[in-house]
Amino acid sequence: QSKASEVYSRLNESFGKIEERKVSDYPDYYGGSFTNVDGKLVIYVKGNVEDYKKELLKKAGTDDLIFEPCNFSFKELTEIMDTINAYKLNNADSPICANFNSYAILDAENRIVVDLDEYNEEQIAAFKKRVINSPAIEFRKATGKIVFL
C-alpha cells in the first residue's frame, strides 16, 4: 500500500502544486483514484481508457496501475462539492441545509454521497431543486447526527 501511496503522490503532483491547484487544473478525463483492497492504485478514466493510459502511466511513473472507466471526472465531482459547500455556507439557516450535514466525494465509487436526516422523495427533490441536481449524487439516510467532541 505504501507503493500505491507513492504513486498516488506522484500522480497528484503532476496536476500542479496542491496549494496552488485549482479545479480546472485536473484533466477532464481524470476520474480520481484510490487504493484497492490489494494495495494497488486504481485510476478512473472518463472516456476511452486507452486514449489516456499512456499519459497517466507517464505521470504516475509506473505501469503497476489498474485503470477503470468511470462516469464522472474528478473535476466534475469537485465542482459539485464546491456548489454544495457554497449552498451550505450561504444558506446555513435553511431547512434544506439542516437536513444534510454529511456529504463527501467517494473516490472508490466515483460519486458524491449526501446523507439526509429526513430521507424521502420530497427531501431529495427539494435538495435537487435548491442545491444541485446531478446524477453523480447518491442520497442516503443519515445514520445519526455528527457530534463534535
Side-chain angles (χ1 to χ4, degrees):
Q1 195 161 3
S2 68
K3 181 171 175 156
S5 294
E6 256 179 62
V7 174
Y8 173 78
S9 293
R10 207 168 25 252
L11 176 66
N12 208 20
E13 289 168 8
S14 76
F15 301 131
K17 292 183 179 178
I18 291 174
E19 58 275 359
E20 298 171 6
R21 190 177 313 150
K22 299 179 291 292
V23 174
S24 60
D25 293 335
Y26 291 100
D28 291 330
Y29 61 82
Y30 177 68
S33 53
F34 67 99
T35 303
N36 70 11
V37 294
D38 297 324
K40 297 266 191 178
L41 187 67
V42 178
I43 299 176
Y44 278 129
V45 177
K46 183 178 177 183
N48 184 354
V49 172
E50 292 304 316
D51 291 346
Y52 306 105
K53 192 173 185 177
K54 187 175 180 180
E55 182 178 345
L56 287 164
L57 288 168
K58 184 177 178 184
K59 287 178 181 289
T62 183
D63 61 356
D64 193 21
L65 302 169
I66 298 171
F67 293 94
E68 295 285 337
C70 68
N71 294 318
F72 310 105
S73 72
F74 188 73
K75 185 187 295 188
E76 290 171 302
L77 296 174
T78 303
E79 288 170 347
I80 292 166
M81 284 296 291
D82 289 348
T83 300
I84 296 171
N85 287 333
Y87 187 89
K88 193 77 167 160
L89 182 67
N90 296 319
N91 300 280
D93 295 331
S94 79
I96 291 171
C97 278
N99 194 36
F100 73 96
N101 294 299
S102 174
Y103 54 100
I105 294 176
L106 298 182
D107 295 318
E109 296 180 25
N110 187 243
R111 69 176 47 259
I112 293 171
V113 66
V114 174
D115 294 333
L116 300 176
D117 293 329
E118 190 179 332
Y119 177 81
N120 57 47
E121 289 304 318
E122 183 180 313
Q123 292 300 319
I124 292 170
F127 182 98
K128 288 178 176 181
K129 182 177 180 182
R130 299 277 188 232
V131 185
I132 189 169
N133 183 2
S134 170
I137 299 174
E138 175 184 326
F139 295 94
R140 299 186 310 200
K141 170 78 175 130
T143 55
K145 294 278 186 192
I146 296 174
V147 178
F148 297 100
L149 302 175

